Amino acid sequence: MPDQLLFAMEVLLNGLMAGVLYALVALGFVLIYKASGIFNYAQGVMALFAAMTLVGIMEGQVPFAHLINAAFGTDLHVFGWQLSGLVGIVLTALIMIALAWAVNHLIFRHLVNQEPIILFMATIGLAYFMEGLGDLMWGADIKKLDVGLPQGINGWIDTVTFDAFGYGFFIDNLDIWATVIAAVLVIALMIFSQYSKQGRALRAVADDHQAALSVGISLNFIWVLVWSIAGFVALVAGIMWGTKSGVQFSLSLIALKALPVLMLGGFTSIPGAIVGGLIIGVGEKLFEFAIGPMVGGATENWFAYVLALLFLVFRPQGLFGERLIERV
């Protein structure tokens, strides 16, 4: 089998793994948008905040240590303990749930029935607030995140593909684990949405707020629930990208990768987020492989947005989105 074809197969496999992660990030947007009509600009910063909080908890850092030391002349930095990754993840998940309650109670409960642009601007303010809060709590330096996930080239895949094709596939163990975890979470969210009582309530709220209220569904509960789920999704995404590239400001930009996914799949479709993520992941990798050398490379930076622009022109509702027809 020609080396170019084998390399294309490796690129395709990496694209599928990247696509699953894109779909996971996009799901956080979809869940909140379906339930409340809010496009959550802060989803990427939620991933950054969750990752920073996880590192701080695992390392036993004192929150707001810089402020405390500056105000009282102390020299506090750590509590003196280090927690395992699992304990840190559980505690961080609880913090993200508390954050979801606070966001709904302090901000969006007071913005019911406001124009979508006002709600969107509120999420922009929330994003910058959370970014500043994270820096104040844990510091703005780049942090290393290690929750015990295996890293490095997978030797078994390398050996098997080399024996079969004479060409070893270089697949990172972290990418494999990230893909499996993200896929499990995506499937779990789909099952939750389709078959659980709370999932059916969420879909009822998404279809018609007033009808949902009339049958006894609590909008406040549903909104806290979806913000909590989005916070947990952000935590998982933050762990994956933070482990790979360190916990730093650029981690918040992963949300930008979700925008083309949403435009392809539709803002209200969970299956659309999955399919859109896979299309973007595979498409950008194969495009970089096939066309990148001809145009100087770096096509992964813009391919997804050009594809999304084409969808906006010819199918603005996305592959699975609902087409809105207004009668005048």
Side-chain angles (χ1 to χ4, degrees):
M1 192 176 292
D3 288 347
Q4 284 292 95
L5 180 57
L6 290 170
F7 186 52
M9 291 172 59
E10 182 182 351
V11 170
L12 175 65
L13 186 57
N14 279 292
L16 287 171
M17 292 190 292
V20 173
L21 291 175
Y22 292 160
L24 177 64
V25 177
L27 277 177
F29 287 93
V30 170
L31 288 169
I32 292 177
Y33 190 81
K34 277 175 68 71
S36 60
I38 298 172
F39 179 79
N40 182 24
Y41 180 85
Q43 186 68 28
V45 180
M46 288 170 64
L48 172 63
F49 181 82
M52 294 176 71
T53 302
L54 177 58
V55 172
I57 290 175
M58 289 177 60
E59 295 182 351
Q61 295 180 20
V62 177
F64 302 106
H66 297 291
L67 284 179
I68 295 172
N69 293 336
F72 301 103
T74 55
D75 191 28
L76 297 174
H77 294 286
V78 296
F79 288 112
W81 70 67
Q82 288 190 338
L83 301 177
S84 67
L86 180 59
V87 174
I89 290 171
V90 171
L91 292 176
T92 305
L94 292 175
I95 290 173
M96 297 305 290
I97 292 173
L99 178 66
W101 178 87
V103 165
N104 182 67
H105 186 76
L106 299 176
I107 302 175
F108 293 109
R109 191 183 67 167
H110 304 287
L111 297 177
V112 174
N113 295 326
Q114 294 294 328
E115 293 294 325
I117 186 62
I118 295 177
L119 299 175
F120 176 64
M121 293 300 294
T123 66
I124 293 178
L126 176 64
Y128 284 105
F129 171 78
M130 289 181 61
E131 185 182 321
L133 179 64
D135 288 344
L136 287 174
M137 289 181 68
W138 310 112
D141 54 310
I142 299 175
K143 299 169 177 62
K144 180 181 179 181
L145 176 57
D146 184 5
V147 295
L149 293 175
Q151 300 186 53
I153 301 300
N154 187 286
W156 182 81
I157 293 178
D158 185 25
T159 302
V160 169
T161 53
F162 185 83
D163 291 341
F165 307 116
Y167 177 91
F169 285 10
F170 292 93
I171 306 296
D172 196 301
N173 280 310
L174 178 60
D175 290 336
I176 295 173
W177 276 92
T179 302
V180 171
I181 293 171
V184 169
L185 185 55
V186 167
I187 293 171
L189 287 173
M190 287 191 65
I191 294 174
F192 169 81
S193 175
Q194 294 295 325
Y195 301 108
S196 71
K197 180 180 178 181
Q198 291 79 13
R200 290 193 293 270
L202 189 155
R203 287 187 287 126
V205 170
D207 289 338
D208 191 322
H209 287 184
Q210 295 301 322
L213 280 172
S214 68
V215 296
I217 296 175
S218 170
L219 293 185
N220 279 329
F221 171 77
I222 292 298
W223 289 339
V224 171
L225 177 64
V226 295
W227 276 89
S228 298
I229 295 173
F232 184 73
V233 168
L235 170 59
V236 175
I239 291 172
M240 302 311 169
W241 265 285
T243 301
K244 180 181 293 189
S245 58
V247 179
Q248 52 188 313
F249 170 75
S250 60
L251 182 61
S252 65
L253 302 180
I254 62 173
L256 297 180
K257 274 292 186 180
L259 295 180
V261 174
L262 294 170
M263 293 174 189
L264 263 67
F267 279 80
T268 60
S269 173
I270 291 178
I274 298 169
V275 174
L278 294 176
I279 291 175
I280 293 295
V282 172
E284 68 179 14
K285 298 293 184 184
L286 290 179
F287 192 84
E288 175 69 25
F289 167 72
I291 307 298
M294 304 178 190
V295 296
T299 61
E300 288 187 43
N301 295 331
W302 52 262
F303 169 81
Y305 300 99
V306 172
L307 184 60
L309 180 61
L310 293 175
F311 266 77
L312 287 175
V313 172
F314 296 105
R315 190 177 174 85
Q317 73 271 26
L319 293 172
F320 294 85
E322 299 177 355
R323 187 170 186 175
L324 298 178
I325 301 176
E326 294 185 2
R327 300 185 183 278
V328 295

